[in-house]
Amino acid sequence: MNHRERMLKWIDDLGLIVIHTEIKPYGKGTRRYMVGRHIEEPKDSFVSKSGKVHKTQGKQEWLTPIPLTGVELEKWLTEYSEKNQ
């Protein structure tokens, strides 16, 4: 399991959600993360003719003020888990 997978598992274990992407120029150290939590869970909205279930977006509260690098995210998660245990 690589560092990114461990971080994503840690976020999931804390019951949080994350959006992650890379910024140009792509390469090592360009991934950024925003962490939040669901205020309102997505719900089933309707079922299309093909049988696909469509969901609402729900509502999220973003806990990180800006997109964080992997190092910043790890520090933020450590502080968050210490405060919320």
Side-chain angles (χ1 to χ4, degrees):
M1 183 181 290
N2 65 32
H3 184 259
R4 182 179 59 98
E5 290 170 345
R6 283 194 308 272
M7 298 296 284
L8 296 175
K9 182 177 179 336
W10 190 7
I11 291 166
D12 191 45
D13 291 345
L14 289 171
L16 302 174
I17 57 174
V18 66
I19 293 176
H20 57 95
T21 189
E22 287 188 76
I23 58 172
K24 289 183 180 179
Y26 302 116
K28 191 171 182 159
T30 62
R31 190 170 296 276
R32 298 291 182 268
Y33 302 85
M34 287 289 294
V35 179
R37 63 177 163 220
H38 285 296
I39 296 172
E40 178 183 299
E41 291 287 331
K43 298 177 184 145
D44 292 351
S45 176
F46 67 94
V47 179
S48 63
K49 290 180 183 178
S50 67
K52 182 177 179 182
V53 176
H54 296 264
K55 293 187 172 275
T56 63
Q57 290 182 337
K59 291 185 182 175
Q60 296 79 31
E61 171 185 37
W62 297 105
L63 303 172
T64 52
I66 58 171
L68 304 174
T69 65
V71 173
E72 294 167 335
L73 175 65
E74 191 166 2
K75 181 180 177 199
W76 186 90
L77 284 171
T78 302
E79 292 171 3
Y80 180 86
S81 60
E82 287 172 357
K83 270 196 272 182
N84 294 293
Q85 284 188 356

